[in-house]
Amino acid sequence: MNHTTFSRKKFLNRSFQIGVLISLAPLGKSLLAFSREDSEFYRNDPLAFADSIGITSNIQKIILSAMLAPNSHNTQPWKVKIESDTSFLLYGDTDRRLPPIDPINRQFYHSQGTFLELARLAADSMMFDAKITLFPSGIPIENQMIMKPVAKFVISPKDKCVHDFLFLSVPKRQMNRSIYSGEFISEDEVINLKKLTFASFVDLKFVLKEENIKNYTDILHQAFVTETNIKAANEVSRVWFRTDTNDIFSKRDGITLEGNGLSGLKLWLVKKFFIDLSPEGWHSETSKKGGNDIAKAQIDSTKGLVFFVTEGKDTAVEWIKTGMDFMRFTLAVANENLAFHTMNQALEDYPESNVYHNILRDKLGLSKKSRIQLMGRIGRSDFSFASPRRDIKEILI
C-alpha cells in the first residue's frame, strides 16, 4: 500500500474514534430511490408491503414479515415450504451456514428461532394463534437438513382478543452498530426491557454502570482481534460484505458499511478509498487494524451489556428457543428507543473463542453448566439503516 493510501487510512481511523459525522447530499434517485424506499417501506409496514407486491395469502404475509428477523451476517438462512393456507414447514438453508465462525450451527439455529418468533408475532397481529412444533421429524444430522424441517408452523383463528403488541416495534428494530452516546442504561430501563421481553427460556444478565462495563470491554475487543487474525473466520465477513449500492439492493443480503453505522462523508471515503474486498487487501494488516479500531470505538461507547444465558442442555432445540427470546428482546429494545448490537466473537464455537467464553462466564459468576448463547451492547443512537431482505420467492421451496 502506498504512502498516500496509508495516510488516508490513518485519517479515517482517527475520524472513527472521535465520531465525526459529516452528511453528504443525497445520491441521485437513479441509484437509490426505488430500492432503498422499498427496503424502508418493507420494514416500516411489512403487511402493507405484502399487499403492495400482490401477496394476499395470510401465510405468505406471515413468512414475508418473519424475514425481517435478525440473523447472523444477514445471511437469511431460511427455506420455507408452504403446506396449505394455514401452515408451513421451516428448513435451514445449508448454503447459508458460516462454518468457520459457527462450526456447530449454534448461530444458524438462533436465526431459525428469530424467524419463528417473528412469524408468531406477525400471525398474532393478524388475529391468528400459532402452533410451533420443533423438529417434527427429528433433529437432522449434517446431510439431512434439507429433508428434515426445523419446525412446523400452523395458524388458527384467535378465539380470544388477546394480543402481544411487540410486533408494533418491528419498524424500529435494527442492529445498530454505530458509536453510542448519552446516558448509561439505568436499572429502570432494564426492568422495562425484562417485562417487555417476557423471556420464557433464557436468563437475561445485564452489566450496568461505566465502571462495571469497563471490566468487559478489553475482553470483547481481544475476542474481536483474535477472530480477525484467524483467516478463515475473517474471510466469512469478506464473502458476505456488500459495498456497491447496486450490489446491496440486488443481492439484498450480507453485511454493509451502512449497516455498520457509517454515513455521510465517512461512508463515501471508505467506499472510495479504503474498502478492499480482494483477499489480499481484506486480510492485510492495515485493513485488519482499521476494522479492529472501529470495533474498539464501538465497544468503548457501550452504555450497557446484556448476556443471554441458558442452563443445562445445549442442543439445537435450546438454540432455537434462545433465538425466539432474542427476537423478543430486540423488539423490546426498539420499543424503548434504545440501540442494540450483538458482539458474539467471544462466544463462538472454535477453540480460541471458547477461552473468552469461559472468562466471561466466570466474570458473571455463572456455573460450569451455564452457556452464554448470545451477548450484545446497548446504548443510545439516532443512526438508522434498514438492511435489505431478499425476495420471498428466494426462500420458498
Short mmCIF file of all heavy atoms in Angstrom, two decimals, residues 136-166:
data_model
loop_
_atom_site.label_atom_id
_atom_site.label_comp_id
_atom_site.label_asym_id
_atom_site.label_seq_id
_atom_site.Cartn_x
_atom_site.Cartn_y
_atom_site.Cartn_z
N PRO A 136 -40.27 -31.70 13.85
CA PRO A 136 -41.35 -32.70 13.80
C PRO A 136 -40.88 -34.06 13.27
O PRO A 136 -41.52 -35.08 13.55
CB PRO A 136 -42.38 -32.07 12.86
CG PRO A 136 -41.62 -31.08 12.05
CD PRO A 136 -40.57 -30.54 12.97
N SER A 137 -39.78 -34.08 12.52
CA SER A 137 -39.24 -35.34 12.00
C SER A 137 -37.92 -35.71 12.67
O SER A 137 -37.19 -36.58 12.20
CB SER A 137 -39.02 -35.22 10.48
OG SER A 137 -40.21 -34.93 9.82
N GLY A 138 -37.62 -35.04 13.79
CA GLY A 138 -36.36 -35.29 14.50
C GLY A 138 -35.29 -34.29 14.09
O GLY A 138 -35.38 -33.63 13.06
N ILE A 139 -34.27 -34.16 14.95
CA ILE A 139 -33.17 -33.22 14.68
C ILE A 139 -32.30 -33.79 13.57
O ILE A 139 -31.81 -34.92 13.67
CB ILE A 139 -32.32 -32.97 15.94
CG1 ILE A 139 -33.19 -32.35 17.04
CG2 ILE A 139 -31.14 -32.06 15.63
CD1 ILE A 139 -32.48 -32.14 18.35
N PRO A 140 -32.10 -33.04 12.48
CA PRO A 140 -31.34 -33.59 11.36
C PRO A 140 -29.85 -33.62 11.64
O PRO A 140 -29.32 -32.77 12.37
CB PRO A 140 -31.64 -32.60 10.24
CG PRO A 140 -31.93 -31.31 10.93
CD PRO A 140 -32.60 -31.68 12.22
N ILE A 141 -29.16 -34.58 11.08
CA ILE A 141 -27.72 -34.55 11.05
C ILE A 141 -27.30 -33.76 9.83
O ILE A 141 -28.14 -33.29 9.05
CB ILE A 141 -27.12 -35.97 11.04
CG1 ILE A 141 -27.64 -36.77 9.84
CG2 ILE A 141 -27.41 -36.69 12.35
CD1 ILE A 141 -27.01 -38.15 9.71
N GLU A 142 -26.01 -33.63 9.61
CA GLU A 142 -25.48 -32.70 8.61
C GLU A 142 -26.14 -32.81 7.25
O GLU A 142 -26.51 -31.81 6.64
CB GLU A 142 -23.97 -32.92 8.48
CG GLU A 142 -23.23 -31.76 7.82
CD GLU A 142 -23.13 -30.54 8.72
OE1 GLU A 142 -23.45 -30.64 9.91
OE2 GLU A 142 -22.76 -29.48 8.19
N ASN A 143 -26.28 -34.01 6.72
CA ASN A 143 -26.78 -34.16 5.35
C ASN A 143 -28.30 -34.32 5.27
O ASN A 143 -28.84 -34.67 4.23
CB ASN A 143 -26.10 -35.36 4.67
CG ASN A 143 -26.40 -36.67 5.38
OD1 ASN A 143 -27.00 -36.67 6.44
ND2 ASN A 143 -25.96 -37.78 4.80
N GLN A 144 -29.00 -34.05 6.39
CA GLN A 144 -30.46 -34.22 6.41
C GLN A 144 -31.21 -32.90 6.52
O GLN A 144 -32.43 -32.89 6.54
CB GLN A 144 -30.87 -35.11 7.58
CG GLN A 144 -30.38 -36.54 7.53
CD GLN A 144 -30.79 -37.31 8.77
OE1 GLN A 144 -30.93 -36.75 9.85
NE2 GLN A 144 -30.98 -38.62 8.62
N MET A 145 -30.48 -31.79 6.57
CA MET A 145 -31.13 -30.52 6.88
C MET A 145 -32.18 -30.10 5.88
O MET A 145 -33.15 -29.43 6.22
CB MET A 145 -30.08 -29.42 7.03
CG MET A 145 -29.30 -29.51 8.33
SD MET A 145 -28.27 -28.07 8.60
CE MET A 145 -27.64 -28.43 10.26
N ILE A 146 -32.00 -30.45 4.62
CA ILE A 146 -32.97 -30.07 3.62
C ILE A 146 -34.14 -31.06 3.58
O ILE A 146 -35.16 -30.81 2.93
CB ILE A 146 -32.31 -29.95 2.23
CG1 ILE A 146 -33.18 -29.09 1.30
CG2 ILE A 146 -32.02 -31.33 1.64
CD1 ILE A 146 -33.40 -27.67 1.77
N MET A 147 -34.02 -32.18 4.31
CA MET A 147 -35.08 -33.19 4.32
C MET A 147 -35.90 -33.14 5.60
O MET A 147 -37.10 -33.45 5.59
CB MET A 147 -34.47 -34.58 4.16
CG MET A 147 -33.74 -34.79 2.83
SD MET A 147 -33.02 -36.45 2.70
CE MET A 147 -31.63 -36.31 3.84
N LYS A 148 -35.26 -32.76 6.71
CA LYS A 148 -35.96 -32.71 7.99
C LYS A 148 -36.17 -31.25 8.41
O LYS A 148 -35.22 -30.50 8.60
CB LYS A 148 -35.16 -33.45 9.07
CG LYS A 148 -35.13 -34.96 8.87
CD LYS A 148 -34.49 -35.63 10.09
CE LYS A 148 -34.56 -37.14 9.99
NZ LYS A 148 -34.06 -37.81 11.21
N PRO A 149 -37.43 -30.83 8.54
CA PRO A 149 -37.69 -29.42 8.86
C PRO A 149 -37.26 -29.04 10.27
O PRO A 149 -37.27 -29.86 11.20
CB PRO A 149 -39.21 -29.30 8.70
CG PRO A 149 -39.73 -30.68 8.91
CD PRO A 149 -38.66 -31.60 8.37
N VAL A 150 -36.93 -27.79 10.41
CA VAL A 150 -36.64 -27.21 11.73
C VAL A 150 -37.92 -27.12 12.55
O VAL A 150 -37.92 -27.36 13.76
CB VAL A 150 -36.02 -25.81 11.57
CG1 VAL A 150 -35.94 -25.09 12.92
CG2 VAL A 150 -34.63 -25.90 10.94
N ALA A 151 -39.02 -26.76 11.87
CA ALA A 151 -40.28 -26.57 12.60
C ALA A 151 -41.46 -26.65 11.66
O ALA A 151 -41.35 -26.39 10.46
CB ALA A 151 -40.28 -25.22 13.32
N LYS A 152 -42.59 -27.00 12.24
CA LYS A 152 -43.89 -26.91 11.56
C LYS A 152 -44.65 -25.77 12.21
O LYS A 152 -44.74 -25.69 13.44
CB LYS A 152 -44.67 -28.22 11.70
CG LYS A 152 -46.00 -28.23 10.94
CD LYS A 152 -46.69 -29.57 11.11
CE LYS A 152 -48.05 -29.61 10.42
NZ LYS A 152 -47.94 -29.65 8.95
N PHE A 153 -45.21 -24.89 11.39
CA PHE A 153 -45.88 -23.68 11.86
C PHE A 153 -47.32 -23.71 11.36
O PHE A 153 -47.56 -23.76 10.15
CB PHE A 153 -45.14 -22.45 11.33
CG PHE A 153 -45.60 -21.13 11.88
CD1 PHE A 153 -44.92 -20.53 12.93
CD2 PHE A 153 -46.69 -20.46 11.32
CE1 PHE A 153 -45.33 -19.30 13.43
CE2 PHE A 153 -47.11 -19.24 11.81
CZ PHE A 153 -46.42 -18.66 12.87
N VAL A 154 -48.28 -23.68 12.28
CA VAL A 154 -49.70 -23.78 11.92
C VAL A 154 -50.46 -22.64 12.58
O VAL A 154 -50.30 -22.37 13.77
CB VAL A 154 -50.30 -25.13 12.37
CG1 VAL A 154 -51.76 -25.22 11.97
CG2 VAL A 154 -49.50 -26.29 11.80
N ILE A 155 -51.32 -21.97 11.80
CA ILE A 155 -52.13 -20.88 12.35
C ILE A 155 -53.60 -21.29 12.42
O ILE A 155 -54.08 -22.13 11.67
CB ILE A 155 -52.01 -19.59 11.51
CG1 ILE A 155 -52.45 -19.81 10.07
CG2 ILE A 155 -50.59 -19.04 11.57
CD1 ILE A 155 -52.53 -18.53 9.24
N SER A 156 -54.29 -20.68 13.38
CA SER A 156 -55.73 -20.87 13.52
C SER A 156 -56.33 -19.57 14.05
O SER A 156 -55.65 -18.81 14.75
CB SER A 156 -56.04 -22.02 14.49
OG SER A 156 -55.46 -21.76 15.76
N PRO A 157 -57.58 -19.27 13.72
CA PRO A 157 -58.20 -18.00 14.16
C PRO A 157 -58.22 -17.90 15.68
O PRO A 157 -58.44 -18.90 16.39
CB PRO A 157 -59.62 -18.08 13.60
CG PRO A 157 -59.51 -19.02 12.44
CD PRO A 157 -58.49 -20.04 12.84
N LYS A 158 -57.96 -16.71 16.19
CA LYS A 158 -57.99 -16.49 17.63
C LYS A 158 -59.42 -16.64 18.16
O LYS A 158 -60.37 -16.20 17.52
CB LYS A 158 -57.49 -15.09 17.97
CG LYS A 158 -55.98 -14.94 18.00
CD LYS A 158 -55.62 -13.53 18.42
CE LYS A 158 -54.12 -13.40 18.63
NZ LYS A 158 -53.62 -14.13 19.81
N ASP A 159 -59.54 -17.26 19.32
CA ASP A 159 -60.84 -17.32 19.97
C ASP A 159 -60.95 -16.30 21.10
O ASP A 159 -62.02 -16.09 21.66
CB ASP A 159 -61.16 -18.72 20.49
CG ASP A 159 -60.07 -19.26 21.41
OD1 ASP A 159 -59.18 -18.48 21.80
OD2 ASP A 159 -60.12 -20.46 21.74
N LYS A 160 -59.82 -15.62 21.41
CA LYS A 160 -59.82 -14.55 22.39
C LYS A 160 -59.03 -13.37 21.82
O LYS A 160 -58.01 -13.56 21.18
CB LYS A 160 -59.17 -15.01 23.71
CG LYS A 160 -59.94 -16.09 24.45
CD LYS A 160 -59.24 -16.45 25.75
CE LYS A 160 -60.01 -17.54 26.50
NZ LYS A 160 -59.32 -17.94 27.76
N CYS A 161 -59.50 -12.18 22.06
CA CYS A 161 -58.84 -10.98 21.54
C CYS A 161 -57.73 -10.55 22.50
O CYS A 161 -57.82 -9.53 23.20
CB CYS A 161 -59.85 -9.85 21.34
SG CYS A 161 -59.18 -8.45 20.45
N VAL A 162 -56.68 -11.36 22.54
CA VAL A 162 -55.52 -11.08 23.38
C VAL A 162 -54.32 -10.97 22.46
O VAL A 162 -54.05 -11.88 21.67
CB VAL A 162 -55.30 -12.19 24.42
CG1 VAL A 162 -54.06 -11.91 25.25
CG2 VAL A 162 -56.52 -12.33 25.32
N HIS A 163 -53.60 -9.87 22.56
CA HIS A 163 -52.51 -9.63 21.62
C HIS A 163 -51.18 -9.43 22.32
O HIS A 163 -51.10 -8.98 23.46
CB HIS A 163 -52.79 -8.40 20.75
CG HIS A 163 -53.80 -8.64 19.68
ND1 HIS A 163 -53.55 -9.37 18.57
CD2 HIS A 163 -55.10 -8.22 19.58
CE1 HIS A 163 -54.63 -9.41 17.80
NE2 HIS A 163 -55.58 -8.72 18.41
N ASP A 164 -50.11 -9.76 21.59
CA ASP A 164 -48.73 -9.49 22.00
C ASP A 164 -48.27 -8.31 21.15
O ASP A 164 -48.01 -8.46 19.96
CB ASP A 164 -47.86 -10.72 21.73
CG ASP A 164 -46.49 -10.61 22.36
OD1 ASP A 164 -45.99 -9.47 22.47
OD2 ASP A 164 -45.91 -11.64 22.73
N PHE A 165 -48.19 -7.13 21.74
CA PHE A 165 -48.00 -5.92 20.96
C PHE A 165 -46.55 -5.65 20.56
O PHE A 165 -46.26 -4.60 20.00
CB PHE A 165 -48.58 -4.72 21.72
CG PHE A 165 -50.07 -4.77 21.83
CD1 PHE A 165 -50.69 -5.19 23.00
CD2 PHE A 165 -50.87 -4.41 20.76
CE1 PHE A 165 -52.07 -5.25 23.10
CE2 PHE A 165 -52.26 -4.46 20.84
CZ PHE A 165 -52.86 -4.88 22.01
N LEU A 166 -45.65 -6.57 20.80
CA LEU A 166 -44.26 -6.36 20.38
C LEU A 166 -44.13 -6.21 18.87
O LEU A 166 -43.18 -5.57 18.39
CB LEU A 166 -43.38 -7.53 20.86
CG LEU A 166 -42.83 -7.44 22.29
CD1 LEU A 166 -41.99 -8.66 22.60
CD2 LEU A 166 -42.01 -6.17 22.48
#
